[in-house]
Amino acid sequence: MRNILKANTLESKFPLLAVENDCIISKDADITVGFKVELPELFTVTSTEYEAIHSAWVKAIKVLPDYSIIHKQDWFIQENYSADIEKQEGTFLSRSFERHFNERPFLNHSCFLFITKTTKERLRSRSNFSSLCRGFIIPKEIQDRELVMKFLDSVGQFEKIINDSGYLKITRFTSEEIIGSELKAGVIEKYFSLSQNEDTILNDISINDAQMRIGDNLLCLHTLSNTEDLPGQIAADIRYEKLSTDRSDCRLSFASPVGLLLECNHIYNQYIFIEESDENLSRFEKMAKNMHSLSRYSRSNQINKEWIEQYLNQAHSLGLTSIRCHCNVMAWSDDRDELKRIKNDVGSQLALMECKPRHNTVDVPTLFWAGIPGNEADFPAEESFYTFIEQAVCLFTQETNYKSSPSPFGIKLADRLTGKPLHLDISDLPMKKGIITNRNKFILGPSGSGKSFFTNHMVRQYYEQGSHVLLVDTGNSYLGLCELINRKSNGKDGIYFTYSEENPIAFNPFYTEDCAFDIEKKESIKTLILTLWKRDNEPPTRAEEVALSNAVSLYIEKIKSKEAEPGFNSFYEYVKGEYRGVLEEKKVREKDFDIDNFLNVLEPYYKGGEYDYLLNSTKQMDLLSKRFIVFELDNIKDHPILFPIVTIIIMEVFINKMRRLKGVRKLILIEEAWKAIAKEGMAEYIKYLFKTVRKYFGEAIVVTQEVDDIISSPIVKESIINNSDCKILLDQRKYMNKFEAIQSLLGLTEKEKAQVLSINMANNPSRLYKEVWIGLGGTQSAVYATEVSFEEYLTYTTEETEKMEVLNLAKKLDGNIELAIKQLAEQKRENSKQHN
């Protein structure tokens, strides 16, 4: 009985011969060069930029010789986010964040480009001549080596044109990346495994009449092989309605529905076959004549003749190159029911492109085989259609996932489409690249937009990465976070200053831990005393300034020599006694410096006076070493005496940190309090801060919710906005009708305006998050999701009931706020599971 072998080894059918000089050589002597392609991020490209990207592809393709094949292969693989909780050295909150996102599914995109040089005969071969159908392949020899060198030169030009565009970046594959190593799989091996993992395993490939299977995965193929399958018109980009408004456009590439918007494992293959254009057009001329002569027998012949003539007219009048094109979507699943859903999803996404979804069951094996990197010349010619380069490139996907910053420093946000966590550096890397010239930030968001939530999330991560954080607030937004830090540091950090009758704010401006008084410290003490002594409309004379300066300097010398205990009471007594004698000795006249008037005006701050507590704190605390400090000014923001003094002390604390903490990151964040600060003659401080802080590895951040505030305040307009290269905006739909004023004031481009107005327009209802727009230097911008764990939510919340629930539970647990947050978060998780 005759034995019929039903199985073949991959080796016997394998169409590739070798990889030499980073080129793949097939057994039919075709040469292929491969590239990894970096595309711009999703939702960050405008219509004009899509046109520029399209133009770059067209220009690059035109430099390639005849009988070349361009194969763009986009992989979209479903993965789960893997949280590194074990190695996570961060705090309780950072571990909670990682745990919250653990196993979060997302679609990972990889884009490759293969350029093949083949022959006229190979380019026109049909599916029955595929290497998959041949019994044994005899390797051919490359005949014309000069032709090969010319091809490689043109590929070099292609690479330069694409990389010079500024929107795309292609990097050539090395031999090792193509064939792999002992530890890593190469591009070819990954293709046969339908995986992008480094440790892939080759599986059996099964082909029969009904289906094709690779390992456990069943393939499902949709093709665009005929002009009848395509819409009447195509463009480089389309309007994405979900994130567009009547005032703004969100643009995506024409083929985006079968890219990241198609949520399943799939490969989107795009082929362009460059033949001899003149020969193609001559053949169409003959075909048109034949159609014309046969038109009397069939109306369809007459219609076809008109279509061919239109094609020829376009080619000749615009000087277009006639090429062939093919696109296919290859999806897979190991579950038959899932595969049915995927088939419907692919069909509906193709329908969104106004294409006819054609589910191809016959050509799956040959098209899979032609998709092998380096085997593009095996493509069956009958599966392609004639068009021009410009139209074919419109079928390319032109965007990719959001990317994390390669910088070690940054904050964690999430991808707005899938919710995958992203590491984003909005301070150091943009400075290094020259995108921004300072680290200052301006945050704008109406009430309820999640502004305080975002700032809590940001400053917490800055603090955890070693930054000194000073917050000026008017609404208890940072109480939860500050309490948590205070508890974790055993009271050594997380200092919360707020005013109450029982426990008023008290400072000692003359105290420093190391008795170091630099010029800045002396100047801030002088400014403080001048503020107490003189009104805004009553500037001091030069003689008064000198007298005060001498008094401060001489008093500081006494502190250094341990002759005086630092404090305002001690300073007052020094001026009243010893310094009076110094003035008499120098013969300083009363009209130059009226010491009795000076002492009289400052008496309320001396012991027994109305504000004697303010500058005589018995807690000898040096805020220089404290890394997280909150000043809550809500109760005193309208107080004519307390507020200006407290704000001066705040500025002095930060400027002291700024000057003395060399090489340490520091930030000051001023919430709505900046409005009051600006009113009280503090404008110069703010101007100085925003212009100088960048030189000291620091950043100043201002947060506001009212548009009218920024429009009406010249200090904000001139000092804050002009010196804040990073602008952060939250949901602005409340201000839709006056957004033009915001756009003009912040200098936002039309692209940035469209991004801002798309915030929270198409949020995923299964996830709890709010979106935030971050713009850097007017050149780089995107919308991200601020999504956090329940533990972080309870720490940041500004809802009074939730905040009190945490604090009351913490009291029952001996002040252990972390344990209270853990217990409440667990309750919320259980409730959420039951609700779902």
Side-chain angles (χ1 to χ4, degrees):
M1 187 178 170
R2 215 169 132 209
N3 180 29
I4 300 169
L5 186 68
K6 290 188 177 177
N8 267 306
T9 61
L10 182 60
E11 188 181 7
S12 67
K13 294 286 181 186
F14 200 60
L16 308 180
L17 179 67
V19 175
E20 291 180 11
N21 299 321
D22 303 337
C23 297
I24 307 169
I25 301 162
S26 78
K27 289 177 180 174
D28 282 289
D30 308 311
I31 295 174
T32 303
V33 179
F35 296 92
K36 183 173 176 58
V37 184
E38 290 178 41
L39 298 167
E41 293 176 353
L42 190 73
F43 307 130
T44 65
V45 190
T46 62
S47 190
T48 312
E49 288 166 340
Y50 275 121
E51 288 292 339
I53 294 168
H54 178 274
S55 175
W57 281 118
V58 172
K59 285 174 192 168
I61 291 168
K62 282 181 179 177
V63 304
L64 296 174
D66 291 342
Y67 311 116
S68 296
I69 303 169
I70 296 95
H71 175 205
K72 185 166 170 285
Q73 192 174 70
D74 289 87
W75 288 72
F76 301 91
I77 307 288
Q78 284 186 325
E79 294 181 17
N80 292 332
Y81 178 72
S82 178
D84 206 354
I85 298 166
E86 299 304 317
K87 289 183 183 175
Q88 191 73 21
E89 294 173 6
T91 61
F92 149 66
L93 290 179
S94 58
R95 288 194 299 275
S96 302
F97 180 90
E98 288 290 312
R99 208 176 293 115
H100 172 74
F101 285 98
N102 195 30
E103 297 297 314
R104 171 68 60 87
F106 66 95
L107 207 59
N108 203 3
H109 177 210
S110 305
C111 181
F112 308 132
L113 183 74
F114 302 100
I115 303 172
T116 302
K117 179 73 178 80
T118 186
T119 60
K120 183 178 181 179
E121 295 72 29
R122 287 275 289 151
L123 207 57
R124 290 184 180 172
S125 63
R126 302 179 76 82
S127 54
N128 57 357
F129 196 67
S130 169
S131 58
L132 190 61
C133 306
R134 285 185 266 165
F136 189 75
I137 310 166
I138 302 167
K140 293 179 183 176
E141 189 179 339
I142 295 170
Q143 299 294 326
D144 194 337
R145 295 186 183 277
E146 193 181 328
L147 207 65
V148 172
M149 295 310 295
K150 282 183 179 175
F151 166 68
L152 293 176
D153 286 345
S154 66
V155 168
Q157 292 171 36
F158 180 100
E159 186 178 357
K160 188 169 186 340
I161 291 167
I162 293 294
N163 287 334
D164 285 352
S165 70
Y167 298 104
L168 308 165
K169 186 184 176 188
I170 61 174
T171 311
R172 190 163 168 178
F173 282 128
T174 61
S175 297
E176 189 177 311
E177 287 172 321
I178 295 165
I179 57 176
S181 63
E182 286 184 15
L183 299 173
K184 288 184 177 180
V187 173
I188 297 166
E189 190 179 340
K190 287 176 182 177
Y191 181 78
F192 279 104
S193 310
L194 292 180
S195 167
Q196 286 299 308
N197 291 335
E198 302 293 354
D199 53 350
T200 58
I201 299 168
L202 287 174
N203 293 300
D204 290 342
I205 298 173
S206 169
I207 300 169
N208 59 41
D209 295 342
Q211 66 186 32
M212 180 172 176
R213 183 170 52 80
I214 297 174
D216 294 330
N217 289 312
L218 298 165
L219 293 188
C220 160
L221 188 75
H222 285 74
T223 55
L224 296 176
S225 309
N226 199 311
T227 45
E228 291 174 9
D229 300 339
L230 297 167
Q233 282 189 325
I234 56 176
D237 60 303
I238 53 172
R239 179 180 158 99
Y240 186 59
E241 292 296 342
K242 282 186 180 178
L243 295 177
S244 297
T245 68
D246 56 347
R247 293 166 184 266
S248 63
D249 260 4
C250 176
R251 310 299 293 187
L252 291 177
S253 64
F254 181 79
S256 60
V258 290
L260 285 166
L261 302 184
L262 175 57
E263 293 179 29
C264 65
N265 287 321
H266 67 286
I267 298 171
Y268 179 49
N269 288 300
Q270 306 120 77
Y271 295 90
I272 292 175
F273 306 92
I274 302 173
E275 298 178 311
E276 201 173 331
S277 182
D278 292 342
E279 191 182 319
N280 279 349
L281 297 176
S282 298
R283 199 172 339 110
F284 278 122
E285 293 282 5
K286 287 177 187 174
M287 203 183 289
K289 286 175 185 174
N290 291 339
M291 290 292 176
H292 181 65
S293 59
L294 295 169
S295 60
R296 68 179 72 181
Y297 301 109
S298 168
R299 182 173 290 277
S300 61
N301 288 336
Q302 178 63 30
I303 292 165
N304 284 336
K305 176 236 173 190
E306 287 171 10
W307 280 117
I308 292 167
E309 282 188 341
Q310 276 189 36
Y311 182 83
L312 290 166
N313 290 342
Q314 285 276 308
H316 289 303
S317 62
L318 300 173
L320 303 177
T321 306
S322 173
I323 51 100
R324 284 189 291 118
C325 179
H326 168 89
C327 296
N328 67 60
V329 180
M330 194 182 292
W332 62 88
S333 175
D334 56 2
D335 183 291
R336 286 187 180 276
D337 293 333
E338 176 75 5
L339 197 69
K340 284 180 186 174
R341 182 192 67 77
I342 287 172
K343 177 191 162 188
N344 293 335
D345 284 354
V346 177
S348 63
Q349 291 300 99
L350 284 167
L352 282 177
M353 294 164 62
E354 297 182 30
C355 296
K356 277 185 191 170
R358 197 177 291 278
H359 182 230
N360 194 325
T361 54
V362 179
D363 300 301
V364 180
T366 49
L367 290 175
F368 173 81
W369 209 246
I372 299 168
N375 195 41
E376 282 75 12
D378 240 357
F379 188 89
E382 72 271 18
E383 282 294 321
S384 59
F385 58 89
Y386 283 96
T387 182
F388 302 116
I389 295 172
E390 285 77 5
Q391 282 76 3
V393 169
C394 289
L395 296 170
F396 282 13
T397 48
Q398 308 284 24
E399 57 271 304
T400 188
N401 309 90
Y402 278 35
K403 303 180 189 96
S404 286
S405 302
S407 164
F409 179 82
I411 60 172
K412 287 282 182 84
L413 292 170
D415 182 315
R416 73 189 300 203
L417 187 67
T418 63
K420 177 198 170 189
L422 297 164
H423 173 80
L424 197 67
D425 184 351
I426 53 175
S427 292
D428 292 357
L429 194 65
M431 278 279 280
K432 208 174 282 182
K433 287 183 173 178
I435 294 167
I436 58 175
T437 57
N438 59 64
R439 295 179 177 85
N440 300 339
K441 294 168 181 58
F442 177 76
I443 302 174
L444 172 67
S447 179
S449 63
K451 184 172 68 281
S452 294
F453 207 84
F454 170 79
T455 49
N456 261 288
H457 190 53
M458 181 176 72
V459 298
R460 188 268 292 178
Q461 292 176 85
Y462 269 67
Y463 172 76
E464 286 174 3
Q465 292 171 85
S467 302
H468 277 245
V469 178
L470 192 147
L471 303 163
V472 187
D473 187 27
T474 56
N476 287 310
S477 304
Y478 304 96
L479 179 62
L481 181 57
C482 196
E483 287 278 340
L484 185 66
I485 290 169
N486 185 269
R487 175 77 184 185
K488 289 297 286 182
S489 64
N490 295 319
K492 291 176 184 173
D493 212 338
I495 312 300
Y496 199 85
F497 288 102
T498 186
Y499 181 89
S500 65
E501 292 293 332
E502 308 80 42
N503 188 20
I505 290 179
F507 304 99
N508 187 344
F510 296 93
Y511 176 76
T512 63
E513 214 163 74
D514 53 4
C515 275
F517 291 89
D518 57 11
I519 293 169
E520 292 293 330
K521 181 72 176 171
K522 289 178 184 176
E523 285 300 314
S524 66
I525 293 171
K526 269 174 55 185
T527 307
L528 172 65
I529 295 167
L530 276 172
T531 308
L532 303 177
W533 180 26
K534 299 283 184 179
R535 294 183 184 277
D536 284 349
N537 57 359
E538 188 188 347
T541 64
R542 181 70 186 132
E544 287 172 331
E545 278 188 21
V546 170
L548 177 59
S549 185
N550 287 337
V552 169
S553 296
L554 290 168
Y555 176 69
I556 285 170
E557 290 303 318
K558 293 185 79 63
I559 293 172
K560 285 180 179 178
S561 60
K562 308 288 185 188
E563 291 177 46
E565 190 68 30
F568 184 79
N569 287 345
S570 170
F571 173 73
Y572 187 88
E573 286 161 5
Y574 168 74
V575 173
K576 190 175 182 180
E578 201 173 319
Y579 190 62
R580 187 189 289 272
V582 171
L583 293 175
E584 286 171 1
E585 192 178 316
K586 286 185 176 182
K587 297 180 180 177
V588 176
R589 294 172 299 175
E590 187 180 318
K591 68 174 185 177
D592 292 330
F593 180 66
D594 188 346
I595 191 167
D596 292 316
N597 169 266
F598 177 77
L599 292 167
N600 182 50
V601 173
L602 296 187
E603 194 174 3
Y605 308 99
Y606 180 59
K607 58 185 170 192
E610 188 181 355
Y611 303 111
D612 62 350
Y613 57 85
L614 188 63
L615 304 174
N616 292 293
S617 173
T618 52
K619 291 179 188 173
Q620 300 293 39
M621 187 188 292
D622 184 6
L623 296 178
L624 182 70
S625 60
K626 309 302 178 189
R627 289 205 303 114
F628 198 92
I629 306 163
V630 180
F631 289 95
E632 165 55 55
L633 307 182
D634 203 35
N635 295 338
I636 59 164
K637 66 176 185 288
D638 299 318
H639 198 291
I641 305 292
L642 293 177
F643 187 78
I645 298 166
V646 172
T647 51
I648 287 172
I649 290 168
I650 292 168
M651 291 301 174
E652 187 268 328
V653 167
F654 187 73
I655 288 167
N656 194 31
K657 282 179 181 287
M658 193 170 83
R659 294 274 184 180
R660 293 182 61 190
L661 296 172
K662 307 287 184 187
V664 178
R665 188 188 305 275
K666 67 281 291 183
L667 72 90
I668 181 168
L669 185 142
I670 307 170
E671 279 260 4
E672 298 297 321
W674 67 264
K675 285 184 276 185
I677 290 170
K679 285 177 197 165
E680 299 292 342
M682 292 295 293
E684 291 307 313
Y685 257 113
I686 291 180
K687 283 181 184 177
Y688 170 76
L689 197 64
F690 268 81
K691 286 179 181 175
T692 314
V693 71
R694 68 178 181 83
K695 298 173 186 173
Y696 297 94
F697 196 22
E699 46 195 271
I701 305 168
V702 158
V703 185
T704 189
Q705 66 177 18
E706 288 298 329
V707 188
D708 294 336
D709 292 335
I710 56 171
I711 292 170
S712 60
S713 169
I715 295 150
V716 181
K717 280 167 78 172
E718 292 163 26
S719 305
I720 297 176
I721 293 173
N722 292 347
N723 289 292
S724 298
D725 280 1
C726 175
K727 294 177 177 69
I728 299 171
L729 274 70
L730 292 104
D731 198 334
Q732 299 293 314
R733 281 178 291 180
K734 283 184 182 177
Y735 303 139
M736 186 81 82
N737 293 332
K738 48 183 174 180
F739 192 75
E740 279 71 18
I742 300 172
Q743 183 185 358
S744 169
L745 186 74
L746 300 182
L748 303 181
T749 62
E750 285 300 310
K751 168 186 174 175
E752 290 170 333
K753 172 189 173 183
Q755 288 174 341
V756 172
L757 294 180
S758 75
I759 290 174
N760 294 336
M761 279 192 67
N763 286 11
N764 187 336
S766 65
R767 286 163 42 212
L768 276 174
Y769 65 98
K770 282 187 178 175
E771 291 182 335
V772 56
W773 176 84
I774 299 175
L776 296 166
T779 57
Q780 195 175 300
S781 59
V783 176
Y784 301 92
T786 308
E787 184 177 351
V788 297
S789 62
F790 282 116
E791 285 85 349
E792 289 166 295
Y793 174 81
L794 289 165
T795 305
Y796 305 154
T797 183
T798 52
E799 281 290 323
E800 189 69 26
T801 52
E802 291 172 330
K803 203 187 292 182
M804 291 313 298
E805 191 180 8
V806 172
L807 294 174
N808 291 337
L809 182 57
K811 279 180 189 173
K812 292 176 187 175
L813 299 167
D814 297 325
N816 193 334
I817 193 164
E818 184 178 315
L819 186 58
I821 289 167
K822 278 180 183 172
Q823 288 185 10
L824 289 171
E826 201 53 50
Q827 281 178 30
K828 279 187 174 289
R829 258 190 292 275
E830 288 302 317
N831 294 340
S832 179
K833 283 177 190 172
Q834 289 170 12
H835 185 69
N836 292 336

